[in-house]
Amino acid sequence: MIWGIIRRKLASSQSVSRIKHPAIRPRGYGQKELLSNGKGCRHAVGSFNYCTTLGSQCCRAYSNKPRREITAMLLPEYFIPLRSRSFSSDTGDLVDAVVPFMGESITDGTLAKFLKNPGDRVEVDEPIAQIETDKVTIDVASPEAGTIQKLVAKEGETVEPGTKIAVISKSGEGVPQAAPPSQEKTASQPPPPAEKESIGKGTTKTETSSLKGTEKTLFPPQPAARAPSSPPKPSEPQLPPKERERRVPMTRLRKRVATRLKDSQNTFAMLTTFNEVDMTNLMKLRSDYKDAFVEKHGVKFGFMSGFVKAAVSALQYQPVVNAVIDGDDIIYRDYIDISIAVGTPKGLVVPVIRNSDQMNFAEIEKNINTLAKKASAGTISIDEMAGGTFTISNGGVYGSLLSMPIINPPQSAILGMHSIVTRPMVVGGNIVPRPMMYVALTYDHRLIDGREAVYFLRRIKDVVEDPRRLLLDV
């Protein structure tokens, strides 16, 4: 009836112009009337849906009366919605946890293990997984606080920076809940087939048990006949069974260390020279001032700071040991960054003490203490291990008496420290007990001659045996 009135009114109009709908655009949500101002018609559209009414065009008559009646007939109470579609259903509740940037020289890593499971609650920046790289272990932190909805990647996969490994729900909705253990156990253990068959035939459990007992009585189990085993051939070695062996894949750090050490042996013409150091004076210096040192600087006074200072002095006396071969050139470096080899449960790492030549004993001890803790905890960064011009390896802490260390590429030499052993020594014509340490210098003989290597190691010995040389620079 409504549209009949409209058609009759439009038929009486002298001229009618048709105006198309303007483009439908989302606008602020709210109940609005359909407006007609003589120039066109507009739909009132919410921010989440839109409606299409009967007819695809609005008509406007130039006479005043039809225009008013049309306007009255097109009020919102006459709307007949035909369809509705959602513009967006994204609530922003789900957040992806991705692999972070791992360093300039690292392009991928291995997903070692997940620290969280689906359904676990996590806070902002809380580690949810660990990535093993060629150098360090990196944590993947949660970008938002919420609940782990699902794990996308699997342990052991190779991942790159930006790879999504987990989905976190900020509200915790839609997270699968683990079934109680009792229900899981019940569901995973179906009834025995014998019971199912007896139930289907109408046999009770008591009858089934009695039948089983009768069957055992009438037909007792016979011992299985053993197949005759042929004696092993005398020529074949008796190897232990495979069940007593365990095959564990190498970690990326272990594979990287193995590759670098083998490359070092294949590249450098390595030669090792030895000497022994009398530790009496350095040990006395430590014993006299260890309490005052801890009280003032907050760290213990160890032997490593003395050897670092001695190495800095020796590198200044023999700068070729601090140099490196690059193609057909020799690069002499006017700075000294000492690398300290640290053994960790996951492998060997070598953090670097930057600008060691500008530090005193206390600053060196603080840096060594901080880097050693980070290396043991697996939180050391790539930047803290990059570079280095000379390496010191202290195998004496493990009880090593003598060894030949391998050069840490691309450096040209490495100093090996060993355990302190009291041995009889001739001092001033008398045989006296002295705390002695063997030291070893492995160097690249392509760059460093034997004379420079011996002088370098001799300078280490002189400074450690008489630390006053550092004060007087002699």
Side-chain angles (χ1 to χ4, degrees):
M1 181 182 69
I2 296 174
W3 293 104
I5 297 174
I6 295 176
R7 284 195 293 270
R8 288 195 298 272
K9 295 298 182 180
L10 293 177
S12 61
S13 301
Q14 294 180 357
S15 60
V16 178
S17 65
R18 296 183 177 274
I19 302 176
K20 294 183 179 181
H21 278 295
I24 298 176
R25 295 172 298 178
R27 52 179 296 194
Y29 182 77
Q31 186 66 25
K32 299 286 186 180
E33 293 184 354
L34 185 68
L35 303 179
S36 176
N37 54 8
K39 296 182 180 180
C41 300
R42 294 184 298 170
H43 274 288
V45 183
S47 60
F48 293 99
N49 54 65
Y50 69 89
C51 298
T52 303
T53 60
L54 289 175
S56 59
Q57 294 177 335
C58 293
C59 299
R60 176 171 64 91
Y62 285 101
S63 59
N64 294 332
K65 184 176 180 182
R67 183 189 308 123
R68 288 195 299 269
E69 293 184 5
I70 292 173
T71 303
M73 295 302 175
L74 294 180
L75 290 176
E77 54 264 24
Y78 297 99
F79 285 359
I80 305 176
L82 295 182
R83 59 179 178 173
S84 177
R85 179 174 64 86
S86 174
F87 274 108
S88 174
S89 60
D90 185 11
T91 60
D93 178 63
L94 301 181
V95 181
D96 295 336
V98 300
V99 178
F101 176 71
M102 297 182 288
E104 293 291 343
S105 59
I106 300 178
T107 58
D108 57 15
T110 301
L111 181 56
K113 63 179 179 179
F114 280 103
L115 305 178
K116 298 292 182 179
N117 297 318
D120 291 349
R121 177 71 183 178
V122 293
E123 302 297 332
V124 179
D125 295 334
E126 183 178 358
I128 62 176
Q130 288 184 342
I131 307 295
E132 281 189 356
T133 67
D134 296 340
K135 298 181 179 179
V136 294
T137 300
I138 299 174
D139 291 334
V140 180
S142 174
E144 296 287 346
T147 306
I148 302 291
Q149 187 184 57
K150 63 178 179 179
L151 304 178
V152 180
K154 296 181 180 179
E155 294 184 356
E157 288 186 354
T158 300
V159 293
E160 299 177 352
T163 303
K164 180 171 69 174
I165 64 170
V167 178
I168 299 173
S169 174
K170 293 189 288 185
S171 63
E173 297 179 356
V175 178
Q177 299 294 333
S182 59
Q183 297 180 4
E184 293 179 358
K185 186 175 180 181
T186 305
S188 61
Q189 295 181 356
E195 294 185 8
K196 286 185 177 180
E197 185 178 356
S198 63
I199 293 172
K201 294 181 180 181
T203 306
T204 61
K205 294 183 179 179
T206 306
E207 294 175 355
T208 305
S209 302
S210 62
L211 289 175
K212 288 182 180 178
T214 306
E215 184 180 355
K216 290 181 180 179
T217 305
L218 296 177
F219 306 99
Q222 299 294 331
R226 295 183 179 180
S229 58
S230 58
K233 297 180 181 180
S235 59
E236 293 181 358
Q238 296 295 325
L239 299 177
K242 297 295 183 181
E243 291 77 10
R244 298 176 60 185
E245 300 177 351
R246 292 184 297 113
R247 183 181 295 271
V248 180
M250 295 177 65
T251 62
R252 293 179 67 95
L253 179 59
R254 175 62 59 189
K255 289 190 289 186
R256 180 62 176 172
V257 170
T259 301
R260 287 176 61 85
L261 292 180
K262 190 57 183 175
D263 290 344
S264 177
Q265 287 184 327
N266 295 337
T267 302
F268 300 129
M270 288 190 290
L271 184 62
T272 305
T273 182
F274 300 93
N275 212 322
E276 58 181 358
V277 178
D278 188 349
M279 299 290 293
T280 302
N281 291 331
L282 184 58
M283 294 178 67
K284 186 177 184 305
L285 179 66
R286 179 191 180 191
S287 176
D288 292 343
Y289 296 101
K290 63 179 181 179
D291 295 335
F293 193 89
V294 172
E295 182 179 355
K296 181 175 181 180
H297 302 291
V299 292
K300 293 182 179 181
F301 182 20
F303 295 134
M304 282 300 300
S305 57
F307 275 88
V308 170
K309 294 294 290 184
V312 168
S313 177
L315 290 171
Q316 291 173 342
Y317 270 72
Q318 300 293 332
V320 68
V321 182
N322 201 45
V324 65
I325 293 178
D326 184 16
D328 295 332
D329 301 326
I330 300 176
I331 300 176
Y332 290 90
R333 293 172 287 201
D334 296 331
Y335 60 93
I336 298 176
D337 292 344
I338 302 294
S339 303
I340 305 295
V342 179
T344 67
K346 295 183 178 181
L348 182 68
V349 295
V350 190
V352 180
I353 304 176
R354 309 286 181 190
N355 300 317
S356 303
D357 53 327
Q358 302 176 12
M359 294 184 180
N360 55 28
F361 283 82
E363 292 171 339
I364 293 174
E365 290 291 351
K366 290 179 181 178
N367 276 269
I368 292 176
N369 187 39
T370 301
L371 294 174
K373 288 182 178 179
K374 288 185 177 181
S376 300
T379 59
I380 193 167
S381 65
I382 300 295
D383 295 337
E384 292 171 324
M385 295 192 299
T389 61
F390 184 77
T391 299
I392 299 177
S393 176
N394 185 9
V397 295
Y398 308 111
S400 173
L401 179 63
L402 193 63
S403 66
M404 295 189 300
I406 300 178
I407 298 174
N408 178 27
Q411 301 173 12
S412 299
I414 180 173
L415 175 68
M417 299 168 53
H418 301 90
S419 58
I420 301 174
V421 179
T422 301
R423 296 198 300 269
M425 303 297 294
V426 178
V427 179
N430 299 319
I431 299 178
V432 295
R434 291 287 189 177
M436 304 298 295
M437 175 193 288
Y438 287 119
V439 290
L441 178 71
T442 300
Y443 57 95
D444 186 2
H445 208 350
R446 301 176 304 166
L447 174 64
I448 305 170
D449 294 332
R451 183 175 69 95
E452 286 83 4
V454 172
Y455 282 166
F456 179 91
L457 206 54
R458 181 74 190 192
R459 180 64 182 177
I460 296 283
K461 173 182 173 66
D462 293 341
V463 172
V464 173
E465 290 184 345
D466 189 2
R468 295 174 298 179
R469 289 177 176 272
L470 295 176
L471 181 63
L472 301 176
D473 192 20
V474 294

